[in-house]
Amino acid sequence: MITATTTESIITPRVIASPSSWIEGEAIRQLEQTARLPGMRAAVGLPDLHPGKGYPIGAVFLSERIYPALVGNDIGCGMALWQTELTARRFKPERAAERLQGLEGPWDGDLDAWRADWNLEPTPFDSALGTIGGGNHFAELQVIEKVLDETALAALELEPERLCLLVHSGSRGLGESILRAQVNQWGHAGLAPDSPEAEDYCARHDQALRWAEANRALIAARLLDALGTEAEQRLAVWHNGVEPVDWHGERLWLHRKGAAPADRGPLVIPGSRGSLSYLVAPTGDGETSLRSLAHGAGRKWKRGEARARLSGRQRPEDLAVTALGGQVICEDKELLYDEAPESYKGIERVIGDLVAAGLCHPIATLCPVLTYKVRKAEHQRPGRARQTERRRR
DNA sequence: ATGTGC
């Protein structure tokens, strides 16, 4: 007798990392668990693989279904790189730092025009447009430290003497609200691609992608304005999201969970604020890595763990300048410790593993000069700051 | 990651 039930074959996840790369057991368990979800066709851990909330970060999944919970709350989180008109030689980090104030508060420019430029409908979260947020998000001025592929650098129109601005941020409260609504209604279930619920999620997801991209652009615009300079965007990628792909003639869904795309040209893989970032060009056919690359160095210590480990030997003021000489603006103590260079794995190993696997080749290294995270907590809540002001009048 | 929490 032929039964109606289909046998779901269990796929074996792969991890792209050298044996000496330390990866937490919990991350591997999460990778294996996620690979068992119905309709999963391939799962790959990248060298920055580490545990997340239920699902691993630094991983990519190819599936017949759409898994919003796997994408997570920060839909569209990613990186964008600008070439500024600032020259490394004449840049004064201390003076620049003084000018960078209040980027946490709402932007006072023309939001309607900005939304129109980016094809965005208004959302309840738009007062956060142009704000960096917390966690590992940042805006960082960087100097090109070493050029490894002059031709590729020139093709990207990046001049070695000019400072770069790298912005890492996402969709803030918007992405979180989309995931929350999704989980409230459907739990963590995978969505059938042509269902109304999938179409609904994809529409919101794509909106969050645009919102996050517009957010990074506005963060850059505000920061550049404060410094009295201009810049041109050179690169932009997202590393949290899902997209339909043609996989050997079949339509499948590629989930990137803290994984950068390897099919959209060069990109920056950032280290911690105390290490280099790598501008790389993807290589290979994308088959083994599911068209993806590591999205950063990868967290070594969980959030909240760093302060206990570091506060005995490093005071907050010690963390304001890194080993590479970069200045750090972070007036939130917990965040200052959480995002300390020691909280991250070495970026060199991550890049080394990718190169050894034939997945990318380095174009240049970027050295942090000034990292902006957050000013004082009272400036963080847009609404509250305004209320305080109103009360004073 | 998050107007993150009563």
Side-chain angles (χ1 to χ4, degrees):
Chain A
M1 198 178 90
I2 299 166
T3 59
T5 52
T6 56
T7 312
E8 291 277 359
S9 58
I10 293 171
I11 55 142
T12 310
R14 282 177 290 111
V15 178
I16 297 171
S18 61
S20 53
S21 272
W22 177 78
I23 287 169
E24 257 183 87
E26 178 61 13
I28 303 287
R29 277 189 290 278
Q30 289 181 343
L31 182 68
E32 288 168 345
Q33 280 297 121
T34 309
R36 284 195 200 104
L37 291 172
M40 276 293 167
R41 299 284 289 272
V44 172
L46 292 150
D48 58 336
L49 184 72
H50 61 281
K53 199 182 152 195
Y55 307 96
I57 300 161
V60 51
F61 301 90
L62 188 63
S63 163
E64 293 161 12
R65 294 173 158 262
I66 299 163
Y67 285 95
L70 171 54
V71 171
N73 64 307
D74 200 0
I75 303 161
C77 183
M79 305 269 171
L81 184 79
W82 284 260
Q83 174 171 268
T84 76
E85 291 188 343
L86 301 165
T87 60
R89 204 168 48 85
R90 297 174 63 183
F91 185 71
K92 303 272 185 294
E94 295 81 3
R95 281 182 58 191
E98 285 169 20
R99 301 177 76 159
L100 296 178
Q101 303 281 344
L103 295 176
E104 299 72 27
W107 183 49
D108 59 8
D110 188 348
L111 261 187
D112 281 330
W114 195 264
R115 281 187 290 242
D117 283 351
W118 289 88
N119 186 26
L120 293 171
E121 295 298 314
T123 81
F125 307 93
D126 292 355
S127 66
L129 258 178
T131 64
I132 295 167
N136 55 0
H137 293 170
F138 61 81
E140 187 170 273
L141 286 159
Q142 306 175 326
V143 58
I144 296 178
E145 188 247 7
K146 196 172 185 183
V147 180
L148 301 144
D149 183 341
E150 248 175 75
T151 315
L153 194 72
L156 288 169
E157 296 182 82
L158 287 168
E159 297 163 27
E161 67 277 8
R162 302 230 175 244
L163 288 185
C164 293
L165 171 63
L166 182 68
V167 174
H168 177 199
S169 188
S171 53
R172 312 285 277 107
L174 176 63
E176 204 275 335
S177 77
I178 293 168
L179 176 66
R180 189 154 23 85
Q182 182 67 37
V183 169
N184 284 345
Q185 192 170 6
W186 305 102
H188 285 225
L191 309 175
D194 294 317
S195 62
E197 51 269 29
E199 270 172 37
D200 182 51
Y201 173 74
C202 286
R204 291 166 194 265
H205 167 281
D206 293 352
Q207 182 198 24
L209 240 56
R210 289 198 308 279
W211 198 101
E213 201 171 2
N215 184 38
R216 289 186 285 273
L218 189 50
I219 291 164
R222 296 178 79 184
L223 188 141
L224 294 161
D225 187 48
L227 296 182
T229 190
E230 290 180 357
E232 285 177 10
Q233 191 175 298
R234 292 290 187 255
L235 303 171
V237 296
W238 50 261
H239 51 231
N240 284 347
V242 57
E243 63 176 355
V245 290
D246 180 332
W247 199 263
H248 301 292
E250 199 178 358
R251 185 176 152 94
L252 295 171
W253 294 84
L254 194 59
H255 298 69
R256 290 194 176 92
K257 176 70 171 175
D263 53 0
R264 291 178 185 122
L267 67 150
V268 175
I269 302 179
S272 72
R273 69 189 185 213
S275 61
L276 300 176
S277 292
Y278 282 73
L279 172 60
V280 304
T283 52
D285 58 11
E287 202 62 29
T288 57
S289 65
L290 303 181
R291 302 178 191 168
S292 302
L293 289 170
H295 81 312
R299 194 168 265 288
K300 186 172 75 184
W301 296 340
K302 283 194 277 288
R303 291 200 169 92
E305 203 179 326
R307 192 166 178 172
R309 288 176 181 265
L310 290 176
S311 59
R313 46 196 170 102
Q314 291 191 70
R315 295 163 301 168
E317 49 270 40
D318 300 332
L319 295 169
V321 182
T322 71
L324 289 178
Q327 301 246 343
V328 179
I329 299 171
C330 183
E331 297 178 357
D332 175 330
K333 254 185 223 169
E334 192 64 46
L335 191 56
L336 185 66
Y337 281 104
D338 269 350
E339 299 300 314
E342 290 87 343
S343 287
Y344 285 84
K345 298 182 199 174
I347 187 67
E348 284 75 18
R349 170 67 56 78
V350 170
I351 300 294
D353 286 358
L354 293 173
V355 171
L359 299 176
C360 71
H361 98 98
I363 296 171
T365 56
L366 309 169
C367 183
V369 174
L370 178 59
T371 308
Y372 192 102
K373 297 285 290 179
V374 69
R375 289 281 182 195
K376 278 194 173 43
E378 54 258 39
H379 301 304
Q380 280 182 46
R381 299 261 169 89
R384 196 185 284 180
R386 269 192 181 160
Q387 271 173 14
T388 313
E389 212 173 303
R390 239 177 265 139
R391 239 177 269 137
R392 251 189 247 124
R393 278 188 199 139

